[in-house]
């Protein structure tokens, strides 16, 4: 790792509020004491108002001119796109942004994504670009087949679906307001290219649905000992606590997750070979047929013929919910699957592309597809965007 990459990584840790090791502190101090220019740069990129201004300025740039400038500066400094086995996207982008005079790394965008109201930046669609989903395309399907678009439900206004009152609260969450003694079920679908949608179930449990996902649920949990829902795709649950009623999530391939009240993530897309259940707090039991495992926080159970359990990076698992792509030693097909669902595009990887190379980095999901692809290009990924098809030509 070069000195530029090392100091970039340390500064990003500092900005994110993570505690530095004594060795990292020493490297940072030495770098700061090396020149007045380093001190000035550090003051700027650790100033929240400066970052905010730079982000706003970035989005007002002519995109092509901005990237041409970055390319020129990269060539003048060093080639950040040549890694044989592991390509650290965020290191390259952070360094390129710093050399470009203030286009702060996508890791900084992660911090700002936590408060979108403070960073109300509009990205203009240009040429063949695909913007980040601004609205939800989600819809509710009742058990008699009626369809209702979620975005047609006005905030804090009651909407009737087959005499059932539904509203969207000020947080954008779908809430059923008169579900007592109603023994029917609904399904909430969130298609590809759609923003995250949130549902509050009758017991107060909250569910976040990722793109290309669905949840089928009763309007009222009338069973004395069970609260049961079914999902496809990926969902994050904050289950209301109950000492007597288990909450059970079942996936399409028969994986069951049982809890009394806790936070967890379930991922089970049809185009992926495994079903992953990740626990954030409390405990859950994950089972299929006669096989079962008990998880503790920061553990993930994956099922592929049998269960395997491992410790995982929680921030990576729930990154989709917090507004970022978080890649950690992920191969190219894994990276592209996330992009295809979020931007609703088809992906074609040519036969000469090396799919074994891995990528690590944090990129805001608020960026347009072309902006994300430009970052990947810095990591050596070559592509063509033909209408709604992304073609990866080589790496």
């Amino acid at each position: 790792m070069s000195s530029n990459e090392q100091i970039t990584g340390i500064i990003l840790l500092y900005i994110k509020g993570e505690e530095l090791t004594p060795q990292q502190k020493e490297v940072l101090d030495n770098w700061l004491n090396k020149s007045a220019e380093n001190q000035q740069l550090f003051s700027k990129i650790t100033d929240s108002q400066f970052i905010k201004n730079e982000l706003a300025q970035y989005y007002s740039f002519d995109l092509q001119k901005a990237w041409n400038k970055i390319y020129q500066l990269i060539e003048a400094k060093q080639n950040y796109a040549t890694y044989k086995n592991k390509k650290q996207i965020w290191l390259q982008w952070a360094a390129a942004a710093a050399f470009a005079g203030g286009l702060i790394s996508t890791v900084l965008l992660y911090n700002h994504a936590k408060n979108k109201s403070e960073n109300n930046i509009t990205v203009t669609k240009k040429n063949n670009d695909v913007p980040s989903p601004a609205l939800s395309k989600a819809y509710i399907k009742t058990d008699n087949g009626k369809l209702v678009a979620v975005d047609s439900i006005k905030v804090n206004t009651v909407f009737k679906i087959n005499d059932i009152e539904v509203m969207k609260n000020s947080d954008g969450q779908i809430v059923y307001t008169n579900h007592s003694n109603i023994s029917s079920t609904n399904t909430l679908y969130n298609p590809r290219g759609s923003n995250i949608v949130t549902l509050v179930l009758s017991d107060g449990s909250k569910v976040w649905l990722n793109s290309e996902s669905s949840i089928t649920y009763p309007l009222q949990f009338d069973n004395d000992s069970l609260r049961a829902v079914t999902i496809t795709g990926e969902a994050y649950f904050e289950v209301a606590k109950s000492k007597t009623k288990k909450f059970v999530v079942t996936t399409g391939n028969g994986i069951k997750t049982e809890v009394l009240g806790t936070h967890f993530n379930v991922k089970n897309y049809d185009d992926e070979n495994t079903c992953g259940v990740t626990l954030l707090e409390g405990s859950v039991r994950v089972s299929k047929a006669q096989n079962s495992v008990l998880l503790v926080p920061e553990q993930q159970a994956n099922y592929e013929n049998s269960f395997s359990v491992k410790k995982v990076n929680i921030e990576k698992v729930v990154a989709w919910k917090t507004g970022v792509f978080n890649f950690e030693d992920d191969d190219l097909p894994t990276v592209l699957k996330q992009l295809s669902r979020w931007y609703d595009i088809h992906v074609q990887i040519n036969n000469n592309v090396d799919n074994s190379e891995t990528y690590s980095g944090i990129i805001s999901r608020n960026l347009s597809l072309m902006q994300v692809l430009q970052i990947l290009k810095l990591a050596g990924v070559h592509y063509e965007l033909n209408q709604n098809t992304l073609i990866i030509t080589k790496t």
Side-chain angles (χ1 to χ4, degrees):
M1 179 184 294
S2 72
S3 59
N4 280 334
E5 291 173 337
Q6 184 181 27
I7 194 62
T8 299
I10 292 173
I11 292 174
L12 290 172
L13 290 174
Y14 178 90
I15 292 171
K16 291 170 65 180
E18 298 186 14
E19 185 176 355
L20 302 182
T21 66
Q23 292 81 5
Q24 289 170 333
K25 288 178 181 177
E26 182 179 358
V27 172
L28 179 59
D29 290 341
N30 291 339
W31 181 80
L32 288 171
N33 292 325
K34 191 174 182 179
S35 69
E37 289 79 7
N38 286 353
Q39 295 172 20
Q40 292 172 0
L41 177 60
F42 183 78
S43 296
K44 281 185 177 181
I45 63 178
T46 55
D47 182 281
S48 60
Q49 187 59 47
F50 171 80
I51 294 171
K52 195 172 175 182
N53 293 341
E54 289 296 315
L55 286 170
Q57 183 181 6
Y58 165 62
Y59 280 100
S60 68
F61 278 175
D62 181 292
L63 187 60
Q64 190 57 51
K65 287 183 179 179
W67 281 111
N68 287 342
K69 184 176 181 181
I70 289 176
Y71 294 146
Q72 292 169 6
L73 289 163
I74 290 173
E75 290 175 0
K77 295 292 181 179
Q78 64 179 7
N79 183 4
Y80 287 94
T82 53
Y83 289 86
K84 290 184 179 179
N85 298 314
K86 181 178 179 182
K87 301 185 178 182
Q88 297 287 351
I89 295 173
W90 69 267
L91 284 174
Q92 301 165 52
W93 173 231
F99 292 143
L103 299 182
I104 307 304
S105 82
T106 51
V107 177
L108 301 186
L109 289 176
Y110 166 74
N111 294 327
H112 289 268
K114 294 179 180 177
N115 193 343
K116 294 180 182 177
S117 63
E118 291 186 5
N119 298 286
N120 188 18
I121 302 169
T122 302
V123 180
T124 302
K125 182 177 179 179
K126 294 183 179 181
N127 301 325
N128 199 29
D129 201 0
V130 180
S132 171
L135 301 174
S136 169
K137 300 178 184 176
Y139 60 94
I140 298 169
K141 184 177 181 180
T142 66
D143 52 5
N144 67 354
K146 184 175 181 178
L147 302 180
V148 177
V150 167
D151 277 351
S152 70
I153 304 174
K154 296 181 180 180
V155 174
N156 294 329
T157 301
V158 174
F159 183 92
K160 285 193 174 183
I161 305 176
N162 295 340
D163 295 326
I164 300 167
E165 293 183 354
V166 182
M167 68 173 291
K168 190 188 299 179
N169 64 22
S170 56
D171 293 327
Q173 300 167 337
I174 302 166
V175 183
Y176 290 80
T177 58
N178 71 333
H179 44 64
S180 299
N181 302 318
I182 298 175
S183 59
S184 60
T185 61
N186 282 356
T187 299
L188 176 62
Y189 292 92
N190 198 32
R192 293 164 61 92
S194 174
N195 210 337
I196 297 167
V197 62
T198 312
L199 169 70
V200 181
L201 298 171
S202 64
D203 66 336
S205 296
K206 296 179 182 179
V207 186
W208 285 257
L209 275 187
N210 202 349
S211 301
E212 200 177 8
S213 304
S214 71
I215 178 170
T216 300
Y217 52 95
L219 302 190
Q220 176 71 29
F221 292 118
D222 53 7
N223 190 301
D224 291 336
S225 60
L226 188 66
R227 298 171 288 170
V229 300
T230 303
I231 73 155
T232 65
E234 184 168 24
Y236 177 87
F237 291 85
E238 290 185 358
V239 176
K241 295 185 183 300
S242 171
K243 293 182 179 180
T244 58
K245 284 191 174 185
K246 288 192 297 185
F247 191 100
V248 180
V249 178
T250 304
T251 64
N253 63 351
I255 304 295
K256 291 186 176 182
T257 304
E258 301 179 20
V259 304
L260 291 175
T262 188
H263 298 185
F264 61 98
N265 193 86
V266 181
K267 184 178 182 182
N268 183 217
Y269 284 107
D270 291 339
D271 60 353
E272 297 186 6
N273 295 327
T274 64
C275 174
V277 178
T278 308
L279 180 63
L280 280 76
E281 64 176 51
S283 64
V284 301
R285 180 171 295 281
V286 186
S287 63
K288 181 171 183 178
Q290 303 303 314
N291 300 318
S292 69
V293 292
L294 188 66
L295 300 183
V296 299
E298 298 186 20
Q299 282 188 336
Q300 180 181 88
N302 284 282
Y303 188 87
E304 188 176 4
N305 300 321
S306 63
F307 281 110
S308 62
V309 177
K310 63 180 179 180
K311 186 174 181 179
V312 293
N313 178 357
I314 294 298
E315 290 185 358
K316 170 181 167 60
V317 173
V318 299
W320 65 272
K321 179 177 171 288
T322 59
V324 296
F325 299 107
N326 189 328
F327 306 121
E328 187 177 278
D329 293 332
D330 291 320
D331 60 26
L332 190 58
T334 300
V335 171
L336 296 175
K337 279 179 183 177
Q338 292 195 44
L339 299 186
S340 69
R341 293 180 187 126
W342 186 239
Y343 296 104
D344 190 16
I345 57 172
H346 301 290
V347 174
Q348 176 183 322
I349 303 177
N350 287 354
N351 293 332
N352 63 337
V353 173
D354 183 0
N355 288 328
S356 65
E357 293 180 333
T358 60
Y359 299 79
S360 295
I362 298 175
I363 303 175
S364 171
R365 284 163 67 111
N366 291 330
L367 298 180
S368 71
L369 174 62
M370 190 59 69
Q371 289 170 315
V372 173
L373 293 177
Q374 294 283 17
I375 295 171
L376 290 174
K377 188 173 182 179
L378 290 177
V381 178
H382 294 260
Y383 64 89
E384 296 174 5
L385 186 58
N386 184 5
Q387 297 299 322
N388 202 42
T389 301
L390 174 65
I391 305 169
I392 305 301
T393 56
K394 64 178 181 178
T395 53

